[in-house]
Amino acid sequence: MLLSLITLLLDAAATVTCAPYGSQVDQNVQFVTESNKKRFFDYGAHESSDPMRGVNLGGWFVLEPFITPSLFEPFRTTNDSDEGIPVDEYHYTKQLGKELAADRLEAHWQSWFTEKDFADIQAMGFNLVRIPIGYWAFETLPDDPYVSGHQEKYLDQAIEWARTYGLKVWVDLHGAAGSQNGFDNSGLRDSWGFLEDQNLNVTRSVIHYMLDKYSGDNFTDTVVGVQLINEPLGPVLDMDKLKQDYYLENYNFLRQEKGRDQIVVIHDAFQPFNYWDDFMTFDQGYWGVLVDHHHYQVFDPKQLNATFQDKINLACSWGQDVVNESHWTVAGEFSAALTDCTKWLNGVGYKSRYDGTFQKDNDSSFYIGTCENNEDITAWSQERKDQTRMFLEAQLDAFELRGGWIFWAYKTENSLEWDAQKLAYNGLFPQPLDDRKWPSLCK
């Protein structure tokens, strides 16, 4: 959702401008003119530009049990099950009550990311951070248990830190009222009420506020995109309503009512490549629209159980298949994971497909290997280390065929496969970012 990727770090003093979308990576890129009121920013449209190379600041303003399990473990009532543990932030705050939840979350917001993290992110060679935040940070439904109104100051501080260290920012509305996908990362698991009237009105009110604020002149030197919503689950939603009543409505609010030129990021809603080629395109008079694709191979049993070469081939295809899409695109989420062994990755109580213990939708009928000592790098074989780095390199190369990438996530408490810091420390995430042990995997 928002167009193209922020690929180059510009000088802090440089004028940021906005980029158009081209149908080809290496030619025929259509640029927006000053007369069309767009700011110009090079989202990878020039051969001389660097691709977007970013990290997601997951688990900060939207809790995810697998990222910060220490926040959820105190609820455990038995040692041999997940009984009593809240499955998402909604139930976390509901079980604690707003006062106690506010105390715990305030401490988390103050400590999970600090200025040092932004310095380290820049030192590792990343040029952008994507910052997820839930609607409840700004406005709530009457019966919501969420803590509200405190997160915004920390988000603004994060943008200031990014500015200090020359990083660009995507502000990402990660959770909609009623949930847009039923995932715990939306704030509310097992619900898909996003497009119902009250939920839609509240979510639009919030994204209008975010679009207005983070498209202002005091932010656009650093904020180079606002994502309208993260991962709407297209297969269970009314796609026409998503397009017309949310994506298009918010675009028109930003362009026509506010007259702003901020990049608008739309997630692909888990639709196939080229699905969006006839929606809000440059040729139709729309500009500054970027399509965000997310790619994982551990949540589909067939992909999880595929041969390693098939995993590499699929990763490469992800980059090759977007080259001719009408919009500029970016891989806004992906990971190094070859297993789904990280505790609570699939959700509290669901366990893992990899070791045959998955407990949802009768999807635990196969066994690939053990999840024992999954987070202990000393227990990893050299083959697993090599495959993890090779898989990661293939994805980096694939995604740089077009707009670039944003890794999920910068850090976790325990996970190796989902933590850029831990992967880099153990030689599994390239440092520098263009270093390759296995060059040309996708050529």
Side-chain angles (χ1 to χ4, degrees), residues 176-219:
S179 180
Q180 71 277 18
N181 54 32
F183 305 154
D184 59 10
N185 61 35
S186 72
L188 178 62
R189 200 173 85 176
D190 302 323
S191 174
W192 302 271
F194 159 50
L195 294 177
E196 296 171 5
D197 289 346
Q198 183 182 32
N199 294 332
L200 181 59
N201 289 338
V202 167
T203 306
R204 280 200 303 221
S205 174
V206 168
I207 195 62
H208 283 186
Y209 175 80
M210 292 172 62
L211 286 167
D212 186 16
K213 176 175 179 175
Y214 296 111
S215 299
D217 291 343
N218 54 330
F219 284 104

Side-chain angles (χ1 to χ4, degrees), residues 124 374-382 384-386 388-389 392 414-417 419-431 437-438:
M124 290 177 68
N374 187 67
E375 312 306 347
D376 179 3
I377 191 66
T378 65
W380 283 27
S381 67
Q382 188 60 47
R384 183 176 182 185
K385 294 176 185 177
D386 289 345
T388 298
R389 170 136 182 177
L392 187 49
N414 300 321
S415 179
L416 277 168
E417 296 178 288
D419 187 314
Q421 275 189 318
K422 292 181 177 65
L423 289 164
Y425 179 80
N426 290 289
L428 305 181
F429 205 118
Q431 286 289 291
K437 289 187 175 182
W438 290 275

Side-chain angles (χ1 to χ4, degrees), residues 92-110:
Y92 178 91
T93 52
K94 185 176 182 178
Q95 286 181 232
L96 286 175
K98 287 191 176 181
E99 185 174 349
L100 182 54
D103 288 344
R104 294 190 184 181
L105 288 173
E106 193 83 30
H108 171 67
W109 297 329
Q110 290 175 359

Side-chain angles (χ1 to χ4, degrees), residues 65-66 68-87 91-92 95-96 104 341-345 347-351 359 413-414:
F66 94 91
T68 55
S70 68
L71 292 176
F72 291 80
E73 279 291 355
F75 295 87
R76 185 182 295 279
T77 57
T78 63
N79 291 329
D80 57 354
S81 77
D82 290 344
E83 185 178 349
I85 297 175
V87 299
H91 291 90
Y92 178 91
Q95 286 181 232
L96 286 175
R104 294 190 184 181
C341 288
T342 292
K343 185 176 73 172
W344 297 337
L345 176 65
V348 171
Y350 291 154
K351 299 189 178 180
Q359 296 179 352
E413 288 180 342
N414 300 321

Side-chain angles (χ1 to χ4, degrees), residues 145 277 299 357:
D277 282 358
F299 302 115
T357 62

Side-chain angles (χ1 to χ4, degrees), residues 61 133-140 146-152 206:
F61 303 126
I133 195 164
Y135 79 93
W136 58 89
F138 305 96
E139 186 175 341
T140 56
Y146 292 117
V147 176
S148 181
H150 299 248
Q151 300 92 320
E152 187 175 354
V206 168

